[in-house]
Amino acid sequence: MHSEHEEAMRFDFHDRVTLSWAAMWPGVTDVEAAEIDRRVSEYDQRWTQGPHAQEWGFLHAAYADWREQPDKMRKFTDDLDIHPGVWAAGGLTDLQRRSLDQARNIAHEERCAINELNPPAQRLPIRRDR
């Protein structure tokens, strides 16, 4: 994949994911959600039916893994850092490694956004003067 195609894929994937988050915000109308879904589908269709479908699929799967199994993925990427040659010999490309990093960053961004929406409940101090 040429660098300009990789850059476009990474931009489109980030935009696709952040669009999908927008559909979940409170107050989004059905019409707005349908438009968001249409736009997300356009990204998926463009990349899954093009010459870089495999790379798009890897990035999508990496993102899903980071969302669902962050501890396992952290261990995996730590192992990649320690033994890069082993993984490269096993077929992991530099492009895929960058996809793992991007997926991690986007999943982290998503967790931060969710935490802002749902802050932990604050406990009120217990009044002892009663």
Side-chain angles (χ1 to χ4, degrees):
M1 174 183 273
H2 293 138
S3 61
E4 62 270 12
H5 296 144
E6 180 180 354
E7 186 177 322
M9 178 185 74
R10 297 201 184 289
F11 178 85
D12 282 358
F13 188 79
H14 188 271
D15 196 42
R16 178 227 182 271
V17 171
T18 56
L19 272 172
S20 68
W21 298 342
M24 296 182 283
W25 292 108
V28 173
T29 67
D30 290 344
V31 171
E32 292 168 330
E35 174 62 16
I36 290 167
D37 187 53
R38 182 192 66 75
R39 291 178 60 198
V40 165
S41 294
E42 283 178 359
Y43 281 123
D44 287 337
Q45 184 175 13
R46 176 171 49 244
W47 286 97
T48 59
Q49 295 183 8
H52 306 297
Q54 185 174 0
E55 290 85 357
W56 181 263
F58 184 92
L59 179 55
H60 200 284
Y63 171 65
D65 287 344
W66 273 106
R67 289 181 73 214
E68 296 166 14
Q69 304 172 56
D71 292 335
K72 183 177 179 182
M73 290 301 290
R74 195 170 301 105
K75 289 176 186 173
F76 174 62
T77 55
D78 287 348
D79 191 54
L80 287 174
D81 292 340
I82 295 167
H83 308 288
V86 172
W87 290 99
L92 187 76
T93 66
D94 290 340
L95 176 72
Q96 291 170 330
R97 178 63 174 127
R98 290 189 296 275
S99 289
L100 289 168
D101 292 339
Q102 181 185 14
R104 178 196 59 225
N105 294 340
I106 294 172
H108 176 74
E109 186 180 334
E110 179 180 27
R111 281 190 298 278
C112 290
I114 289 170
N115 288 338
E116 285 180 24
L117 274 180
N118 301 308
Q122 287 185 324
R123 293 186 153 199
L124 297 175
I126 298 173
R127 294 189 60 179
R128 304 220 184 263
D129 60 340
R130 291 191 179 186

